[in-house]
Amino acid sequence: RTDGMATIPTRRSKAKKKNLDIDIDGAYSRIDRDLELYDRRLRSLQSKRAGYLSPNVVQNRKELHRQALELQRERERDYKSQLLDEFKPILHDEIARITAIPDELCSDKSKLHMIKMRNNLMMRRVTIETERRKAEEWTVPKLIDNILEKRHEDKIEKRRTTSLKPLLMRQRKGTDMGLAGTTEASEA
């Protein structure tokens, strides 16, 4: 109650304050518990990430990304040259048709513009097709997966050949010895 002087706490307001104090203490303890939990999770993730993002791993990922970009450029270059080889006969045919138009119907300047337009159109088709392939099939993550898969296959092949070499050498020695033994036995 305020009479302009001071507020006099009543029994009711004291009880509310006590309940609020209890609620606030409970909220603080829950917040502290949650903060501790989040802190533990953060430390756990940071330790995992630290191992994942060690300098060697980062360098390896950069190298993989660089190799994927090189592979993408190489595929793009090869595909462009393949498309140009496919489109060149069509372009030559169209140029022949344009030049065959009589001079009475079309001026030489217009013919040159049409030829230039057809050439430009062909280059746009090639560019669109390579960009489509680049966006759908030659994405960097897919290329990285291909590179890793190829590395894995190479490692397996290398292990096979290195693990089979001693066995093959032993077999060859055994067959050589067996042959030598049979020739000696036949001579005797």
Side-chain angles (χ1 to χ4, degrees), residues 155-181:
K155 281 182 183 178
I156 290 173
E157 186 62 31
K158 185 177 179 182
R159 285 182 190 157
R160 281 185 188 155
T161 57
T162 56
S163 64
L164 290 178
K165 279 182 183 177
L167 181 64
L168 292 173
M169 295 301 285
R170 279 189 234 133
Q171 285 179 349
R172 286 182 187 158
K173 287 180 182 176
T175 55
D176 291 344
M177 293 178 107
L179 289 174

Side-chain angles (χ1 to χ4, degrees), residues 19-33:
N19 286 339
L20 287 176
D21 288 343
I22 291 171
D23 288 343
I24 289 173
D25 290 340
Y28 281 136
S29 66
R30 284 191 301 269
I31 289 171
D32 288 340
R33 197 170 0 118

Side-chain angles (χ1 to χ4, degrees), residues 13 20 29 32 36 43 49 60 70 74-75 81 90 93 97 126-127 131 146-149 158 161 182 184:
S13 64
L20 287 176
S29 66
D32 288 340
E36 188 176 316
R43 275 187 260 126
R49 183 176 286 165
N60 189 21
E70 285 178 11
E74 179 183 323
R75 286 185 178 180
S81 66
I90 298 169
D93 185 43
R97 285 185 195 166
V126 168
T127 303
E131 290 298 321
N146 289 346
I147 291 169
L148 290 175
E149 186 176 312
K158 185 177 179 182
T161 57
T182 56
E184 290 173 4

